[in-house]
Amino acid sequence: MKLILREYNLKLKHTFTISRESIDFQPSLIVELQSDGFSGFGEATSNPYYKTTVPMMMQDLEKIRSIIENTGDETPDVFWAKIHPYLKEDMFALCALDLAYNDLYARKKGKKLYELWNYTTERNPLTDYTIGIASIEKMVSKMQELPWPIYKIKLGTKEDIAIIKELRKHTDAIFRIDANCGWGVEETINNAIELKKLGVEFLEQPMKADNWEAHKEVFKHSVLPIIADESCIIEEDVAKCHNHFHGVNVKLVKCGGLTPGKRMIEEAKKLGLKTMVGCMTESTVGISAIAHLLPQLDYVDMDGALLLAQDIATGVTIKNGAVSYSELNGTGVTLL
């Protein structure tokens, strides 16, 4: 098996702002695995909150190049378990590698990933489209630029309720709110009351990730469901979120790929938690991997490629929130 690493700097259509940062470009690593005439592709983007850069991921993968390239035809579960000890401090790199390996494995089997997993796609959820923090005029303009059935609105300002009241005047779409750890307990409980009146479906990670007492208090009193994001990073976190959140947002780059992501979703379902997968402004490479988990999800946020000025791959396509799969096997990705 041959390992190929490619570094990209993905330009965004608009400056993307959340409660802790603003970006115009998203650095990204694409991993390609070649074997027996097939190629599999995976992706992970950099993230300052998790102290991860593309050069760091590339360096960590280069250290174990020989181990990766000497891999045979073991299953993705066996491969992930073998590689995890070497990359347990760099789950983003592990994710990119795991996505590529899952893609390659399915292509060799002559199946799409969801077919390999025996999933059916008839009831796939729609993806939301994210509106980052900006002036109200700019946020309205972004919604008008792309009319959509579900918007995920980034908040964490002093004018959050006023923002949603104004946005509501311009669309009947479902709203989801992501405060990215920007609120406190009373703020979250009180905001939930007002936001429910404004057609908000749920709140994502309103408070700091490690404040479990606060999460439990809000869980008991919020009139809206609360979905964990920064509080649910790896597999062990799912059980911790039980009775503290109503659902979990699994990010593949944070947990180390599709292989552990699938296990997290299964564990969440057993605990009665709502299931969601979110993206990290990936290109169509990463987004196409997420798409194969759709049959197991209640909600999904996989609009990353839609936020780009120019994509670097073809794969799944998204129209008005609905995902269509590529004709190709695996994740269906081809690099442009």
Side-chain angles (χ1 to χ4, degrees):
M1 187 160 66
K2 184 178 180 183
L3 170 69
I4 300 169
L5 305 177
R6 296 183 178 90
E7 184 175 2
Y8 291 89
N9 202 22
L10 308 174
K11 188 179 189 314
L12 305 185
K13 287 179 185 173
H14 304 286
T15 298
F16 187 72
T17 300
I18 63 173
S19 63
R20 57 178 176 255
E21 66 171 336
S22 295
I23 60 170
D24 292 293
F25 290 87
Q26 176 60 68
S28 181
L29 170 67
I30 302 297
V31 170
E32 180 181 357
L33 294 175
Q34 295 179 346
S35 176
D36 300 329
F38 295 94
S39 283
F41 299 94
E43 180 175 18
T45 54
S46 68
N47 192 290
Y49 181 81
Y50 294 100
K51 299 179 175 61
T52 300
T53 67
V54 171
M56 180 192 306
M57 288 188 272
M58 295 177 75
Q59 184 178 28
D60 288 341
L61 289 167
E62 286 291 355
K63 288 176 186 175
I64 57 168
R65 175 180 287 275
S66 62
I67 297 169
I68 295 166
E69 294 191 333
N70 286 324
T71 295
D73 289 322
E74 58 247 43
T75 66
D77 286 296
V78 171
F79 179 69
W80 191 90
K82 180 176 79 173
I83 298 297
H84 175 254
Y86 300 99
L87 292 177
K88 61 184 178 182
E89 303 302 324
D90 189 349
M91 295 300 236
F92 282 56
L94 180 56
C95 169
L97 183 62
D98 177 77
L99 266 53
Y101 192 83
N102 271 277
D103 183 20
L104 177 66
Y105 187 83
R107 292 188 198 226
K108 284 185 169 185
K109 297 290 185 183
K111 293 186 176 182
K112 295 178 173 61
L113 258 184
Y114 73 78
E115 295 172 335
L116 190 67
W117 296 335
N118 294 314
Y119 293 168
T120 56
T121 60
E122 288 80 12
R123 300 179 66 183
N124 281 0
L126 300 179
T127 181
D128 54 42
Y129 180 76
T130 303
I131 306 294
I133 296 172
S135 67
I136 289 177
E137 293 75 19
K138 187 68 174 176
M139 294 172 86
V140 169
S141 172
K142 287 180 182 178
M143 291 197 311
Q144 292 172 339
E145 180 183 292
L146 192 64
W148 211 254
I150 310 169
Y151 289 110
K152 179 175 177 177
I153 314 295
K154 295 286 190 176
L155 294 180
T157 76
K158 298 299 182 186
E159 305 295 330
D160 287 341
I161 300 300
I163 289 171
I164 299 304
K165 283 182 176 177
E166 186 59 34
L167 296 185
R168 178 48 75 205
K169 296 176 184 176
H170 300 273
T171 180
D172 292 326
I174 294 168
F175 285 167
R176 296 166 177 173
I177 302 303
D178 185 356
N180 283 112
C181 310
W183 294 347
V185 174
E186 293 303 317
E187 191 177 10
T188 301
I189 292 170
N190 292 333
N191 283 353
I193 294 168
E194 295 304 312
L195 292 170
K196 186 175 182 180
K197 298 173 189 173
L198 293 166
V200 168
E201 185 177 27
F202 63 71
L203 306 178
E204 184 179 335
Q205 196 70 46
M207 297 176 299
K208 292 190 183 302
D210 59 356
N211 196 344
W212 291 96
E213 283 302 313
H215 298 316
K216 194 166 189 176
E217 188 71 10
V218 168
F219 174 78
K220 287 190 287 188
H221 297 290
S222 174
V223 298
L224 285 175
I226 311 292
I227 309 298
D229 181 359
E230 285 88 345
S231 294
C232 189
I233 297 175
I234 57 175
E235 293 181 67
E236 291 78 8
D237 294 332
V238 176
K240 290 198 289 186
C241 289
H242 183 49
N243 289 331
H244 289 80
F245 292 90
H246 301 90
V248 293
N249 182 2
V250 175
K251 299 281 184 68
L252 302 184
V253 290
K254 294 192 293 188
C255 71
L258 285 164
T259 301
K262 279 180 63 195
R263 296 194 292 254
M264 290 174 75
I265 292 164
E266 290 163 7
E267 174 72 6
K269 285 177 172 292
K270 288 176 186 174
L271 293 171
L273 292 163
K274 292 288 188 181
T275 57
M276 178 178 178
V277 167
C279 64
M280 304 285 266
T281 323
E282 295 97 331
S283 75
T284 287
V285 176
I287 298 303
S288 294
I290 292 172
H292 292 264
L293 294 170
L294 283 172
Q296 298 295 298
L297 305 180
D298 297 297
Y299 316 116
V300 70
D301 171 34
M302 50 180 293
D303 63 342
L306 300 174
L307 303 175
L308 301 180
Q310 186 173 359
D311 207 341
I312 59 170
T314 58
V316 299
T317 55
I318 303 172
K319 187 174 182 180
N320 205 34
V323 172
S324 297
Y325 293 92
S326 165
E327 292 298 313
L328 300 177
N329 290 325
T331 62
V333 165
T334 302
L335 287 184
L336 294 173

